[in-house]
Amino acid sequence: MDDDAGATPDPVTTRSATEIAAAWRRERPGTPTDSIEIVTPIWWLAKLFTDDRNRALREAGIDAATLDLLSVIRRSGPPYTLSTREIARRTLVTAGAISQRVARAERDGLVERAPAGTGRRTVLVALTDAGHALVERSVDTVLGREAALVSCLSDAERAALTELLGKLMADVRRRTARQED
């Protein structure tokens, strides 16, 4: 992999987003175009990151949903056990989707389910040794790949971008949250 540290932005991508905004301003004066040069590259980056992550996941022998499930349990710390409700909360996935993910991972020997013993319908999900080994291998593969993809950014650039993305994410979440009736 080439070391592009300090490289300038890809002029084709930057020019393309700039050209898209200029074309809309030319064709429809007054159309709000301020977001194009930010949102379009974010969409393009998301596509590139997603495609590369999918390649890394295939190489690691795991799919994104299973990695998400195993990772959230692994990050919880010993004893690597969470309730299905907590898994849904931490992954922002519906309870039904979590139930399907857990069932599939249990069939594959990656997790075990057990009642919480609290008298409620709470189900606990724990990593098996095979699940623990798979998530350890997979996380190193995926995060190593992603680290390489952002290695052109200096520490200061990473910090600035992290702060700006956090600010943008919080505001977009606030603006797009469903209004309670």
Side-chain angles (χ1 to χ4, degrees), residues 43-120:
W43 279 109
W44 291 338
L45 277 170
K47 171 80 168 104
L48 292 170
F49 280 123
T50 298
D51 290 349
D52 193 74
R53 178 176 269 225
N54 287 338
R55 281 189 293 276
L57 291 170
R58 276 192 306 277
E59 290 170 13
I62 191 171
D63 62 82
T66 302
L67 179 61
D68 190 35
L69 172 67
L70 300 181
S71 294
V72 76
I73 298 170
R74 173 61 178 90
R75 288 191 312 266
S76 72
Y80 309 115
T81 302
L82 289 173
S83 70
T84 52
R85 183 180 310 246
E86 185 61 19
I87 293 168
R89 188 186 71 74
R90 292 183 186 195
T91 60
L92 303 176
V93 175
T94 66
I98 291 301
S99 181
Q100 291 174 354
R101 289 180 183 188
V102 169
R104 189 173 63 241
E106 187 175 40
R107 277 193 310 272
D108 293 342
L110 304 173
V111 299
E112 295 174 333
R113 283 189 274 196
T118 61
R120 297 183 359 204

Side-chain angles (χ1 to χ4, degrees), residues 23-37:
W24 278 119
R25 284 190 296 271
R26 181 188 70 241
E27 295 300 318
R28 293 199 69 226
T31 296
T33 59
D34 294 349
S35 65
I36 292 174
E37 292 173 271

Side-chain angles (χ1 to χ4, degrees), residues 153-175:
L153 300 174
S154 69
D155 289 343
E157 289 168 329
R158 286 177 199 228
L161 184 57
T162 298
E163 183 177 336
L164 289 171
L165 289 172
K167 178 181 180 179
L168 182 60
M169 179 70 75
D171 191 61
V172 169
R173 279 189 172 153
R174 182 184 61 77
R175 291 173 183 264

